[in-house]
């Protein structure tokens, strides 16, 4: 990990809130600067979504003397996932904890990432083997922090508080919280609907209570789902979407936390 | 035992206790003696316990956040609307136990008696068990590795005094790992009617769901069918239908055709569902006219038919 400058974990207690979607687009956003080397590691062993979301289905991993080579989306954006080791995307990886831990250790130890500015680690939902292992194995190398993803409803926030609790227990700094699926704007009449109502004030109130930064709120946009299914960057597919603007603002805040300035000035201007 | 050596060949393997990675493991002697290869006695105990449980349904999904717990809770509510049907809901999501909140049972405690743990009752005929009831605070993180989670699931299945039950619904976490293997393993001697698989329409979900169906085939668990959640959203103002999670590859419908598995139904998005869940109330009674409620009721009826029962009340069939 000495050649990796910044390490960011993307976590959520809750499933289906957009961790992989966010991880992928954080990676895309950071890699838009050709001089920034980005690595995306998917440690969701049972449900590895990153290959699909990054348009890398069917790719194979190569092994060389210096270790496993990640699969490159761009020259400066490499990806590793257990998905690349499956013969078919429908193969179920039915492993118990110890075996999953072994794979995560291999990913962290044997992948030849090279010189990397940002390593983003996408995780499965929960607070179990994968999370403990990632933190444990990376404990000697400095982890910048965790970005926690949630949706507005209390059922999600409840699990997210547990995740934040986990971060405190393992002394993992929390960069902040992203609230996904905040509102939906009807394309016809522009009415805003809260599909996942924030009955207890959403991430905003939770972050105030826990004194943790709210990095941003991302509205629902059907284009996000489409881009993910097609394996393309939503940021380039739909540059004018309010969701894209929200993502870019969040990415900038994460970069600031990690001590960098945003690479390109035009990201700051509304697109 | 939480710290398993990395190369652990497995307690049931021929190499148990004899492999190079077994050196130094505290259980090496036990495994080498062959004791680890014997079937877990709990499996027989659970089989005995499950004799009073007529039907067992697992609610699964490879994918997180598709509505497993929401569905499990409302399947339980729907079945329990007939006072003569005894329903039990077991939440084996150890890390993210949502069932107490969704069932309005936060803060409830579990009681232990001579006959085992008592479930928490929502209604006289609807009992619930979850690790959530064992936490001192709902924000407490349960940070357990696989073996400890397996132990809890074994306890839930063996030590909870369910009594006479018509339907035991088991809500699971996302994935295909310890919890799922344990549930199937411990229930293996007692007959599991089948699994209901929940998905949302987009390919990123379906991909994980195909893995889950693959898992079911591998462990010989019958698949009752698939439920597609979050199908469409109908704008309350202009009634336009939006596909928020677009079915770029045909959604659950095409997947079910390909895999020759029944599609039990499609449930539209309705903000009332989220509200009811957060408040711990049954969405079926909160919003009886919602298209989502009608979809749920139709799906519940099909599950009952699969399990060999007729729907308990005729008026459920008439559009409300």
């Amino acid at each position: 990990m000495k050649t990796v400058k910044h390490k960011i974990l993307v976590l959520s207690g809750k499933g289906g809130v957009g961790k992989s979607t966010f991880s992928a687009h954080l990676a895309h956003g950071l890699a838009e600067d050709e001089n920034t080397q980005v690595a995306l590691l998917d440690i969701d062993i049972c449900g590895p979504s990153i290959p699909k979301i990054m348009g890398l289905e069917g790719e194979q991993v190569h092994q060389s003397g210096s270790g496993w080579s990640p699969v490159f989306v761009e020259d400066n954006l490499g990806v590793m996932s257990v998905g690349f080791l499956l013969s078919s995307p429908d193969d179920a990886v039915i492993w118990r904890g110890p075996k999953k831990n072994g794979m995560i250790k291999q990913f962290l130890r044997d992948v030849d990432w090279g010189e990397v500015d940002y390593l983003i680690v996408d995780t499965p939902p929960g607070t179990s083997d994968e999370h403990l292992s990632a933190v444990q194995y990376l404990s000697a190398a400095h982890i910048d922090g965790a970005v926690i993803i949630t949706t507005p409803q209390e059922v999600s926030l409840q699990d997210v508080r547990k995740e934040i609790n986990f971060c405190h227990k393992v002394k993992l700094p929390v960069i902040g919280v992203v609230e996904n699926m905040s509102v939906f704007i009807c394309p016809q009449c522009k009415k805003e609907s809260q599909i996942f109502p924030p009955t207890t004030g959403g991430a905003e109130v939770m972050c105030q209570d826990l004194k943790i930064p709210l990095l941003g709120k991302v509205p629902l946009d059907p284009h996000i789902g489409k881009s993910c299914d097609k394996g393309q960057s939503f940021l380039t597919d739909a540059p004018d979407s309010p969701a894209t603007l929200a993502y870019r603002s969040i990415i900038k805040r994460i970069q600031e936390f990690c001590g960098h300035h945003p690479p390109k000035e035009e990201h700051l201007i509304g697109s």
Side-chain angles (χ1 to χ4, degrees), chain A:
Chain A
M1 286 290 139
K2 281 190 168 158
T3 58
V4 178
K5 283 207 191 96
H6 298 290
K7 301 160 209 69
I8 299 165
L9 259 55
V10 180
L11 302 174
S12 178
K14 191 91 185 70
V17 295
K19 285 177 294 309
S20 298
T21 305
F22 182 80
S23 301
H25 289 90
L26 175 58
H28 275 304
L30 292 169
E32 281 175 1
D33 173 14
E34 296 162 352
N35 297 319
T36 304
Q37 297 298 320
V38 183
L40 176 56
L41 172 60
D42 177 9
I43 63 168
D44 189 340
I45 310 284
C46 298
S49 308
I50 291 292
K52 167 155 275 302
I53 295 176
M54 300 299 284
L56 300 173
E57 275 198 304
E59 294 285 340
Q60 296 292 310
V61 157
H62 305 283
Q63 212 158 359
S64 72
S66 43
W68 291 2
S69 301
V71 179
F72 284 88
V73 182
E74 313 281 350
D75 287 342
N76 65 333
L77 175 45
V79 181
M80 179 56 72
S81 165
V82 81
F84 298 135
L85 308 174
L86 304 176
S87 20
S88 148
D90 297 347
D91 281 352
V93 179
I94 313 170
W95 293 352
R96 288 194 181 272
K99 203 164 171 186
K100 290 196 283 186
N101 300 337
M103 175 61 50
I104 291 166
K105 184 179 0 185
Q106 271 198 283
F107 275 161
L108 290 169
R109 187 187 60 197
D110 299 339
V111 173
D112 180 25
W113 294 109
E115 297 279 338
V116 168
D117 294 293
Y118 292 95
L119 170 66
I120 300 155
V121 183
D122 184 36
T123 64
T127 51
S128 187
D129 290 87
E130 296 89 334
H131 313 84
L132 284 165
S133 294
V135 172
Q136 182 189 344
Y137 292 131
L138 285 170
S139 56
H142 167 68
I143 305 177
D144 291 62
V147 176
I148 317 239
I149 315 290
T150 186
T151 47
Q153 74 275 40
E154 177 57 26
V155 164
S156 285
L157 299 175
Q158 189 175 55
D159 285 353
V160 165
R161 286 192 204 96
K162 294 189 204 301
E163 197 72 24
I164 293 170
N165 192 306
F166 165 83
C167 291
H168 291 329
K169 282 193 171 167
V170 300
K171 300 190 183 4
L172 177 58
V174 176
I175 300 175
V177 172
V178 173
E179 186 186 85
N180 249 348
M181 309 198 200
S182 276
V183 286
F184 174 67
I185 300 161
C186 177
Q188 184 154 282
C189 71
K190 307 301 175 199
K191 174 174 169 53
E192 279 193 12
S193 289
Q194 286 177 324
I195 298 195
F196 304 104
T199 55
T200 54
E204 203 154 347
V205 170
M206 180 187 74
C207 287
Q208 279 165 12
D209 290 346
L210 300 179
K211 299 186 181 21
I212 281 172
L214 176 64
L215 296 175
K217 295 166 147 189
V218 186
L220 276 161
D221 183 334
H223 289 106
I224 301 179
K226 273 190 204 143
S227 297
C228 287
D229 276 6
K230 287 191 289 179
Q232 288 163 355
S233 167
F234 167 75
L235 306 177
T236 36
D237 276 359
D240 299 319
S241 164
T244 299
L245 299 177
Y247 269 138
R248 290 203 183 285
S249 157
I250 292 165
I251 292 170
K252 177 166 159 287
R253 290 188 66 176
I254 292 171
Q255 285 175 297
E256 285 165 0
F257 182 95
C258 293
H260 278 218
H261 297 292
K264 282 194 189 149
E265 277 305 298
E266 53 261 44
H267 285 179
L268 301 176
I269 304 161
S271 39

